[in-house]
Amino acid sequence: MSINYKTSRRNLLKSTAGLAGLAAMSSIIPGKRAFAADLTVGFVYVGAKDDYGYNQAHAEGAAAVKEIEGVTVVEEENVPEDVSVQKTMESMINFDGASLIFPTSFGYFDPHILTMAKKYPDVRFEHAGGMWQADKHPMNVGSYFGYIGMGQYLNGITAGHATKTKKIGFVAAKPIPQVLLNINSFLLGARAVDPTITCQVIFTGEWSLAVKEAEATNALADQGADVITCHVDGPKVVMETAAGRGAYICGYHANQSSLAPDKYLTGAEWNWAKVYTDMVNTMKGGGTIDNFIRGGLKEGFIKMSPLGPAVSDAGRQQFEETQAEILKGGFAVIKGPLNDNKGNVIATAGQSFVETDVALESMNYLVEGVVGSTS
Amino acid sequence: MGGDIGLWGVPLAILGGAIRVSTPFLFVSLGECLTERSGRINLGLEGTLVFGAMSAYAVAYETGSPWMGVLAAMIAGSAFGLLHGWICSLPKVNDIAIGIALMLFGMGLAFFFGKSFIQPVAPDLPAINFGFWSDYTQVQAALKVNILFLIGIAASLGLWWMFRNTKIGLIIRVVGDSTDAARAMGLRPNLVRLLSTAAGGALAGVGGAYLSLYYPGSWNEGISSGQGLMAVALVIFARWNPIYCFWAALLFGGAGALGPALQSVGVTQGYYLFYAAPYVLTLAVMILTSSASKTMTGAPAELSITK
């Protein structure tokens, strides 16, 4: 359905532009200009809108934007990270009149968003990731992201209280900085409870490989990991397999508690609804959105799933205390003395990297206590 | 949880992986074996597998019965097989090209209809616990055998016996080895191939049902990740013998479990290399078993790749 729609739009684009473009356009545009406050916002997803993970989290944000009065939302899913995303953005701009676009996948940025931003300087492009630089990139492009590593730290605290084997597990896709920060944070959260805990990590090599994710989860359970979390695009397989093996689970991207309510401790969720409505309201009010936006728990960019029944009272207390600490701002998960798991010094005593430190966005190590390797 | 099993985790994971992961390989390769024995190649089984997985999950969710899901996957699979068989029976049609087209068609259709079934949870197929004698939960988990796996073993034995000892088996083999001889015997090669392709499609559909209803046990668009294509290659590896198909499927399943298992015991360097184990293994076996004098032992003579 969506494919047909796109093709017909594109054909329409060709014919109108080729033959009587101006005449045809002028009949559309005045209608839109009659309502100056109206705003059309476009969302582009790399996968299915309801993948129970990364894309769904963004789509829920888009759903919140729809509720704002005078705002129209257009969406397209399963758009590959190639020239098709440029066509999608172009059709959103020309036919839906979108003046703010959220291409949500990491690989959309260079060169696709940059090309479109130069071609349509009046349209605002907002990208989830971390690559906008003032001296290199157009001013109508912005970057936003959340400190979800803090959420994995809190996951780790509940895991530290729940584990009996003192071994926790992490199914990871690829060893990129955001994933490594999540793994390290999960372990350090657990070590805030008991410093003897270790975390086994297994990389699957891809964002979405159902069978390999299930095998990795089983291998972790075989080795005695009794709390498992993950960083893959759709955590459903890991959650179901882990719970099926009797392990506790910590969610990621979205709330997965309904998959195994008894085993679900808590989860680190995106809260794009808040981020997106803020940005759209700024734009609607005639303001300018910052080019570099970051936020964590305090700013409402991320949130935690409600604690499950398996979390002990001690666990609940430490979770709430730590969450309150983080909410004050300036919390550091990576702080000295700390070595990586090869024995290199990451931070000396007294040295710390607070959540806002950009150095964390180029993380390339696993900390001591994580069993695994980045290559 | 059970005790600490340390390095024993690796052989155990390979055994468990062989049992868990092999079933889709087994069903698809049996389906392809049947189709190819009749002289036709169906490369579209990857699409059939994915569509089977989607339809099984959707029907199991709607009806609450996983077996209805398996039935739906069989019907959908045979429909894809019939379509392939019918198009290929038209003159001057290349079965390899049609197979690739139907593979993409099946996947696209499955993604389109499958949208609303990513999030719901469908009932799983039942499994038999053959590890009840062990105190280790790890052993119990590895020896949890799904009924479809047992059906797969029975099907490979049954197919093997059918090819050797029955009239139907003989007819399929004759059609696969020489269209002219089959015509001379009064057989209708196109009809035999149509039915073989349909039956092969049904088997591949069941493989899909196993993916979505047992392991990994949910529907999403990355569920197959090319297993259907690998299973087609397995048939050549297994020399068109259903029994060898079973062993080849086990080998692939077990080798696939090697990567995660090694990482879990702390062998963490170079995991991308371990993930290539099934393919390296195939290459090695192919080279070792190849012969300069006798090419393609067991290959049906009417197959378009051998002509």
Side-chain angles (χ1 to χ4, degrees):
Chain A
M1 197 79 152
S2 67
I3 294 167
N4 287 338
Y5 188 42
K6 191 170 78 183
T7 318
S8 67
R9 254 197 221 161
R10 209 176 291 154
N11 288 340
L12 198 63
L13 176 66
K14 274 184 210 150
S15 55
T16 49
L19 296 169
L22 277 175
M25 295 298 265
S26 61
S27 65
I28 301 168
I29 291 169
K32 285 206 183 291
R33 284 199 178 144
F35 308 95
D38 279 10
L39 181 67
T40 301
V41 184
F43 286 88
V44 191
Y45 315 109
V46 72
K49 220 164 72 169
D50 37 16
D51 63 354
Y52 226 135
Y54 186 79
N55 295 297
Q56 185 173 327
H58 286 289
E60 281 169 8
V65 170
K66 261 181 221 166
E67 301 296 315
I68 304 173
E69 213 179 299
V71 174
T72 312
V73 169
V74 286
E75 298 174 279
E76 191 162 322
E77 55 185 340
N78 287 324
V79 181
E81 293 171 336
D82 56 28
V83 76
S84 16
V85 69
Q86 297 191 24
K87 289 179 179 162
T88 297
M89 289 191 270
E90 206 150 22
S91 108
M92 281 177 171
I93 294 166
N94 287 325
F95 282 93
D96 303 309
S99 48
L100 171 62
I101 297 183
F102 293 94
T104 55
S105 186
F106 196 72
Y108 289 156
F109 188 72
D110 194 4
H112 311 298
I113 291 179
L114 296 178
T115 309
M116 287 295 112
K118 284 192 193 99
K119 194 166 170 188
Y120 297 98
D122 295 336
V123 177
R124 181 85 194 176
F125 298 85
E126 284 292 336
H127 179 248
M131 296 185 288
W132 186 85
Q133 283 163 290
D135 50 337
K136 276 206 242 162
H137 299 133
M139 287 307 286
N140 59 329
V141 176
S143 147
Y144 61 92
F145 209 63
Y147 301 122
I148 197 139
M150 290 292 153
Q152 283 290 10
Y153 184 79
L154 289 168
N155 272 352
I157 288 176
T158 61
H161 281 278
T163 181
K164 291 189 179 66
T165 58
K166 303 297 169 201
K167 223 172 167 183
I168 57 180
F170 200 113
V171 180
K174 299 180 182 188
I176 65 165
Q178 294 163 3
V179 177
L180 298 177
L181 178 59
N182 279 339
I183 299 167
N184 291 335
S185 302
F186 185 56
L187 173 83
L188 291 171
R191 285 206 158 182
V193 179
D194 179 348
T196 62
I197 292 173
T198 58
C199 177
Q200 178 82 50
V201 58
I202 295 184
F203 290 101
T204 63
E206 259 313 325
W207 293 111
S208 181
L209 274 181
V211 175
K212 198 142 277 165
E213 286 158 17
E215 278 301 293
T217 312
N218 272 313
L220 289 173
D222 281 344
Q223 287 302 319
D226 60 356
V227 188
I228 291 172
T229 188
C230 66
H231 186 161
V232 295
D233 259 4
K236 192 180 174 196
V237 165
V238 173
M239 297 295 143
E240 286 188 328
T241 311
R245 289 293 303 267
Y248 291 111
I249 48 179
C250 291
Y252 189 63
H253 287 316
N255 189 342
Q256 282 108 15
S257 65
S258 63
L259 294 174
D262 296 342
K263 295 288 177 190
Y264 194 80
L265 298 175
T266 182
E269 302 174 30
W270 294 108
N271 188 18
W272 294 127
K274 138 102 183 146
V275 183
Y276 288 159
T277 45
D278 282 359
M279 283 200 240
V280 171
N281 280 328
T282 306
M283 183 123 168
K284 214 171 148 249
T288 318
I289 306 171
D290 286 342
N291 289 81
F292 192 81
I293 296 176
R294 291 290 183 274
L297 269 176
K298 183 182 166 192
E299 294 80 6
F301 279 43
I302 64 163
K303 62 183 178 194
M304 300 303 294
S305 315
L307 294 179
V311 179
S312 65
D313 288 343
R316 183 174 297 267
Q317 198 189 345
Q318 191 174 356
F319 174 91
E320 275 160 8
E321 281 168 14
T322 314
Q323 192 173 29
E325 267 313 296
I326 295 172
L327 283 170
K328 283 184 201 158
F331 192 84
V333 167
I334 306 290
K335 57 175 190 276
L338 186 67
N339 289 357
D340 70 9
N341 65 359
K342 295 186 188 115
N344 305 314
V345 175
I346 298 301
T348 51
Q351 192 185 6
S352 64
F353 298 88
V354 293
E355 65 171 347
T356 51
D357 199 326
V358 283
L360 296 176
E361 294 192 28
S362 54
M363 182 172 278
N364 60 359
Y365 52 84
L366 291 164
V367 298
E368 194 178 356
V370 177
V371 187
S373 147
T374 54
S375 62
Chain B
M1 311 298 288
D4 188 9
I5 54 168
L7 286 175
W8 279 104
V10 177
L12 196 65
I14 292 172
L15 174 72
I19 294 171
R20 285 190 297 255
V21 184
S22 63
T23 310
F25 285 126
L26 177 59
F27 276 96
V28 178
S29 61
L30 287 179
E32 185 67 18
C33 183
L34 180 60
T35 309
E36 289 191 13
R37 273 297 185 92
S38 77
R40 184 168 283 152
I41 292 179
N42 184 0
L43 281 185
L45 288 187
E46 166 79 6
T48 311
L49 182 80
V50 172
F51 194 85
M54 190 285 296
S55 50
Y57 199 73
V59 170
Y61 172 69
E62 296 293 348
T63 62
S65 157
W67 293 107
M68 290 303 289
V70 176
L71 187 69
M74 274 179 87
I75 293 169
S78 51
F80 271 94
L82 281 174
L83 184 62
H84 184 274
W86 174 68
I87 299 176
C88 288
S89 69
L90 302 172
K92 299 198 175 171
V93 169
N94 181 305
D95 53 357
I96 292 181
I98 295 300
I100 292 173
L102 279 182
M103 171 173 88
L104 298 173
F105 175 64
M107 289 167 68
L109 211 60
F111 292 174
F112 175 69
F113 287 116
K115 277 276 167 276
S116 51
F117 296 102
I118 295 173
Q119 204 161 338
V121 179
D124 273 0
L125 286 165
I128 301 170
N129 202 344
F130 283 106
F132 57 88
W133 47 270
S134 171
D135 292 334
Y136 286 98
T137 48
Q138 291 96 331
V139 175
Q140 288 171 11
L143 291 179
K144 226 165 141 193
V145 177
N146 187 268
I147 293 172
L148 280 184
F149 178 72
L150 303 175
I151 294 176
I153 297 176
S156 54
L157 285 169
L159 273 180
W160 175 79
W161 181 79
M162 185 187 85
F163 284 135
R164 267 177 75 100
N165 297 319
T166 68
K167 190 177 171 189
I168 301 175
L170 187 67
I171 290 172
I172 295 173
R173 276 163 52 205
V174 169
V175 171
D177 276 331
S178 166
T179 311
D180 293 339
R183 286 224 176 84
M185 285 167 69
L187 298 171
R188 293 162 64 191
N190 270 335
L191 180 69
V192 173
R193 285 183 191 145
L194 181 72
L195 294 177
S196 302
T197 317
L203 283 168
V206 175
Y210 179 90
L211 278 179
S212 64
L213 292 178
Y214 185 67
Y215 196 78
S218 72
W219 159 249
N220 64 59
E221 293 176 7
I223 189 92
S224 143
S225 42
Q227 289 188 72
L229 280 174
M230 273 190 269
V232 171
L234 272 187
V235 178
I236 302 172
F237 177 56
R239 302 283 177 223
W240 293 270
N241 180 332
I243 304 275
Y244 291 171
C245 281
F246 169 69
W247 293 117
L250 275 190
L251 196 68
F252 258 64
L258 190 64
L262 283 175
Q263 282 191 64
S264 77
V265 296
V267 183
T268 53
Q269 292 291 334
Y271 50 86
Y272 279 101
L273 212 58
F274 297 125
Y275 283 153
Y279 317 105
V280 175
L281 204 67
T282 314
L283 265 181
V285 176
M286 288 292 225
I287 292 167
L288 288 176
T289 58
S290 68
S291 153
S293 54
K294 247 181 9 173
T295 46
M296 292 295 219
T297 330
E302 284 292 328
L303 227 47
S304 52
I305 47 164
T306 52
K307 273 207 269 199

